[in-house]
Amino acid sequence: MKNRTYLRMMSRWYGQVPITITLATAIGTLVLVAVGVVFGVGVWLAQKNTFDLLRFNAEQSVVADVSQFTQHLRPAEHLTRFLAQQIGDAHIDTSNTSTLGSLLTGALAGAQQIEAILYIDVDQTAHIARRNRETGKVDLVEIDSSERSINRLNLDDFRQGPRWGAPVWREDFQKTYLNRFHPVTQDGNFIGAVGAVTSIEGLSNFIDQHGVRTEGNSFILYGRDQVLAHWSLIDGYPGRSTEHPLPMLDTFVDPVLASIWQTEGRREMPQAEPQEISSHFMELFNERFAFVYRSVEGFGPEPMIIGAYFQSNDSIKEIQRMSAALIAGIATLFISLLAAIFLGHRIAQPIVRFSAAAARIRDLDVSRIEQLPGSVFRELNDQSIAFNSMLRALRWFELYVPKKLVERLIRNAGDDGTSSGAREVTVMFTDIVGFSSMSEGMSAKDVADFVNHHFSLVADCIESEQGTIDKFIGDAVMAFWGAPETQEDSAEKACRAALAIAGSIHRDNLQRQANGEPPVAIRIGIHTGIATVGNIGAPGRLNYTLIGDSVNIGQRLEQLGKKLSPAGTEVSVLISSETQRRLGADFTAVSAGKQKLRGRSKTIEVYRLPFDAGDSSD
């Protein structure tokens, strides 16, 4: 609406500007110039390689750091999972210290980045295989529940599944560790947990080596306020304790890293590849630094932020050049657009009208579309003539194709809703009782008027419950729910529609009796089951419909009303037990017993759906 209002204002503004025969050429030339300028700016920017340095740093530093970080910690996950399976599946006697110790020692020998592997049972007795970095040997020790380090472990945390714990400070080793635990079960019973312990000094070693190769300063943060890995942590870091196993970022020895989250002097960097990487500039200590980093989940309660920072004076210059070029390109494009509006306002109005009419066609609102007026431009005039011819054809076509069905098929086009397949649906059949006798004395026009009026009553009730009318068969109606859109309450919708039909027929009969006309009685059959739904027919003539035994049962239930409904029944509604089982407490179905349907060898349970005429008043 805003766009159309704007175009109308522009049209009034330039309404007196003469139009020449070179209009189309001029507009094409201006658009070509605008696109050429934007393209030229893009080529110029590409030649300058504005983000080459940043992309290189991000991909070579951050992506590589993330890869090495996961490679450093994944062995702990694999090893604890393997040991838990060996202990649980092989039913290893964990009380046999020799056997258990050999298993732990052998596993630790092949994973150099892991400091220790332990098994702790439900009594909180731990068997630990520990690597001695000075001798290169693996020591096996047993610790009971009296140890403070074991007391701090809560086995209930491990029952739920494998997990990484928060960093832990060990006073006796003067180190901070990451630990991974995996629960152990035998015969479905939790018997303990296997843990792997990794020192953060190893993380600091590998990111320091990688930072030397990339001329960057790599880091790993635990959450946003603690430093997990940095070159200054390789030989230890003062001030760590049980309460603070990691250095705090705001007081960290590296002042550049400590300033990563400050807002003063911060400038966001345009998004670089890969998309998971964040980046920004900081002006610190009369220098400019570029930070690139990525958040990694799954290695503890807090996310790990893995990244690096670089001195970025050259990058800033490239960004400034890019910004100036973008401003020039945008200004040129804006001038070109104004010129195009100046020259093309006479073309815009017919196009807007055509777009609005096309949108109404998209919404199947054919009846409200007005014919397009002609145009002084031959191409637009031909367009209006072709559109008006199409509109006349669509108005005829709308009479023969179910509008609601087409709307649903359009909505579900991306889900391939027209392909044939089996699905659960609820099918309804209605039929007028004694229609042949009733129509004997009526003229052809009266019969058509009567049937059309009856169908309008039935169709309104079906469509108000989101049902799809499949076809009109003489004086009968076939409708279904559950396709093309899945409707979990298709049975309830169908039954509500049946009761609404009964109410409409009852009210219409009151009017017919007042006019001295005989009342109308109908039979309704409803069944829920699996049917083949989709486009059925020949290549040149398709019908979105459903076929199968469920359709036959619905029709036979309607015909069964001849037998089960006494003479004079205004509306007979019979439903199958499959439908009845899907109804909620709002519906009251009365059993009619097991009945044999025509053409079927087995009986089915049938229910009546009573209709209270007192509830049908407007």
Side-chain angles (χ1 to χ4, degrees):
M1 181 65 71
K2 291 181 179 179
N3 290 338
R4 283 180 285 181
T5 302
Y6 176 75
L7 286 172
R8 285 196 295 267
M9 291 173 60
M10 296 302 295
S11 295
R12 288 195 295 269
W13 183 19
Y14 295 118
Q16 303 302 320
V17 177
I19 302 297
T20 70
I21 60 174
T22 61
L23 176 61
T25 303
I27 293 176
T29 302
L30 285 171
V31 172
L32 181 62
V33 170
V35 173
V37 170
V38 174
F39 179 76
V41 171
V43 172
W44 180 74
L45 292 174
Q47 291 176 342
K48 298 302 182 181
N49 295 316
T50 305
F51 294 108
D52 275 0
L53 177 62
L54 299 180
R55 183 176 295 112
F56 175 82
N57 288 337
E59 292 178 354
Q60 296 298 317
S61 178
V62 177
V63 174
D65 281 355
V66 170
S67 175
Q68 296 229 10
F69 172 76
T70 55
Q71 290 177 16
H72 189 85
L73 296 184
R74 289 298 183 199
E77 298 180 350
H78 301 326
L79 198 57
T80 53
R81 180 172 60 250
F82 169 76
L83 292 175
Q85 291 174 347
Q86 289 294 308
I87 297 174
D89 297 343
H91 296 279
I92 292 177
D93 184 6
T94 55
S95 63
N96 188 326
T97 303
S98 176
T99 302
L100 182 61
S102 297
L103 180 64
L104 299 178
T105 302
L108 182 61
Q112 292 300 317
Q113 63 268 60
I114 297 178
E115 294 284 328
I117 296 176
L118 69 133
Y119 170 74
I120 179 171
D121 59 24
V122 292
D123 296 326
Q124 292 200 331
T125 297
H127 298 269
I128 304 176
R130 179 183 300 153
R131 191 184 308 278
N132 190 321
R133 293 295 182 184
E134 296 180 358
T135 64
K137 297 181 180 180
V138 174
D139 301 326
L140 185 65
V141 296
E142 179 179 341
I143 302 176
D144 59 27
S145 58
S146 62
E147 281 278 346
R148 287 184 57 201
S149 59
I150 299 301
N151 285 331
R152 288 198 296 268
L153 296 176
N154 187 355
L155 282 177
D156 290 336
D157 293 340
F158 311 137
R159 293 177 185 269
Q160 307 303 319
R163 65 182 60 191
W164 283 93
V168 176
W169 169 257
R170 287 296 303 271
E171 190 71 33
D172 46 351
F173 294 102
Q174 290 292 296
K175 287 184 179 181
T176 299
Y177 295 93
L178 294 175
N179 58 79
R180 166 77 174 190
F181 280 89
H182 197 293
V184 180
T185 59
Q186 283 187 351
D187 300 324
N189 298 316
F190 176 77
I191 64 170
V194 174
V197 178
T198 302
S199 169
I200 67 170
E201 278 75 5
L203 292 174
S204 297
N205 266 317
F206 91 76
I207 66 169
D208 177 60
Q209 295 171 4
H210 184 68
V212 170
R213 293 196 300 270
T214 61
E215 299 182 357
N217 294 273
S218 298
F219 59 85
I220 301 177
L221 303 182
Y222 181 71
R224 290 175 61 90
D225 55 359
Q226 298 181 75
V227 182
L228 180 69
H230 186 268
W231 61 265
S232 64
L233 272 65
I234 295 176
D235 298 324
Y237 192 90
R240 289 181 290 177
S241 64
T242 302
E243 292 74 20
H244 299 287
L246 297 175
M248 300 304 294
L249 180 63
D250 56 356
T251 58
F252 194 57
V253 66
D254 184 345
V256 176
L257 180 59
S259 305
I260 184 173
W261 306 128
Q262 78 175 32
T263 57
E264 184 179 354
R266 180 186 177 108
R267 181 180 177 186
E268 296 299 327
M269 189 185 306
Q271 187 67 44
E273 296 290 344
Q275 293 296 323
E276 297 87 354
I277 293 178
S278 300
S279 53
H280 66 267
F281 292 112
M282 292 291 294
E283 295 188 11
L284 302 167
F285 319 114
N286 298 321
E287 296 285 346
R288 293 184 177 91
F289 296 89
F291 290 85
V292 286
Y293 46 91
R294 175 181 172 183
S295 178
V296 178
E297 305 279 349
F299 291 95
E302 296 289 338
M304 308 292 189
I305 299 177
I306 304 174
Y309 66 84
F310 311 85
Q311 286 189 337
S312 57
N313 288 331
D314 293 337
S315 299
I316 290 292
K317 294 177 182 177
E318 295 293 336
I319 296 295
Q320 292 172 343
R321 291 163 62 185
M322 181 197 70
S323 300
L326 284 177
I327 293 173
I330 292 173
T332 303
L333 181 60
F334 181 71
I335 294 173
S336 300
L337 288 176
L338 288 179
I341 292 174
F342 174 79
L343 294 173
H345 71 280
R346 290 282 184 90
I347 296 177
Q349 284 185 335
I351 293 176
V352 169
R353 284 194 293 265
F354 179 83
S355 299
R360 290 188 181 275
I361 290 178
R362 177 200 61 198
D363 298 333
L364 301 180
D365 196 7
V366 179
S367 61
R368 296 178 56 190
I369 301 176
E370 298 180 357
Q371 291 196 351
L372 296 180
S375 173
V376 296
F377 300 104
R378 186 180 67 181
E379 292 80 1
L380 294 177
N381 191 62
D382 292 343
Q383 172 185 278
S384 298
I385 294 173
F387 181 86
N388 293 335
S389 298
M390 178 191 69
L391 183 59
R392 288 191 292 270
L394 284 175
R395 285 173 177 167
W396 279 105
F397 184 72
E398 186 182 32
L399 299 176
Y400 296 97
V401 178
K403 179 178 178 180
K404 294 296 183 181
L405 174 61
V406 175
E407 289 176 347
R408 291 170 185 155
L409 291 177
I410 290 174
R411 286 198 301 269
N412 295 339
D415 300 329
D416 195 18
T418 62
S419 59
S420 299
R423 63 194 303 175
E424 182 177 284
V425 296
T426 298
V427 61
M428 170 193 287
F429 280 88
T430 75
D431 192 27
I432 299 176
V433 178
F435 175 73
S436 298
S437 301
M438 182 182 300
S439 61
E440 282 182 359
M442 301 170 64
S443 65
K445 181 180 182 306
D446 291 339
V447 172
D449 291 342
F450 169 75
V451 172
N452 289 340
H453 173 68
H454 173 75
F455 283 161
S456 68
L457 297 178
V458 175
D460 287 345
C461 297
I462 292 172
E463 292 181 350
S464 67
E465 290 295 335
Q466 292 83 50
T468 298
I469 297 177
D470 185 282
K471 58 179 67 73
F472 299 107
I473 314 168
D475 62 314
V477 177
M478 175 184 171
F480 58 86
W481 286 258
E485 297 169 330
T486 300
Q487 295 170 314
E488 300 295 337
D489 58 344
S490 65
E492 292 191 352
K493 289 181 181 295
C495 289
R496 277 197 296 268
L499 294 177
I501 292 171
S504 294
I505 295 298
H506 177 74
R507 291 189 294 272
D508 189 61
N509 280 338
L510 294 178
Q511 185 62 46
R512 289 178 62 84
Q513 290 172 1
N515 296 336
E517 299 173 331
V520 175
I522 69 168
R523 296 185 300 269
I524 301 176
I526 301 175
H527 174 64
T528 303
I530 302 299
T532 299
V533 185
N535 283 336
I536 307 295
R541 179 67 172 88
L542 294 176
N543 183 24
Y544 187 85
T545 186
L546 48 89
I547 58 176
D549 190 50
S550 294
V551 180
N552 297 333
I553 293 176
Q555 187 176 32
R556 297 294 187 268
L557 285 171
E558 176 268 309
Q559 295 171 354
L560 185 64
K562 299 177 183 179
K563 173 184 174 182
L564 299 185
S565 300
T569 301
E570 189 175 49
V571 179
S572 165
V573 183
L574 296 181
I575 66 175
S576 67
S577 58
E578 295 296 327
T579 300
Q580 185 270 338
R581 282 198 294 268
R582 290 164 173 78
L583 299 182
D586 295 339
F587 296 88
T588 302
V590 180
S591 175
K594 292 186 176 295
Q595 301 292 332
K596 186 175 185 303
L597 302 183
R598 183 167 62 85
R600 296 180 61 85
S601 59
K602 296 182 180 181
T603 61
I604 68 169
E605 186 76 20
V606 179
Y607 289 82
R608 290 188 180 90
L609 198 62
F611 164 67
D612 186 358
D615 295 336
S616 66
S617 59
D618 292 330

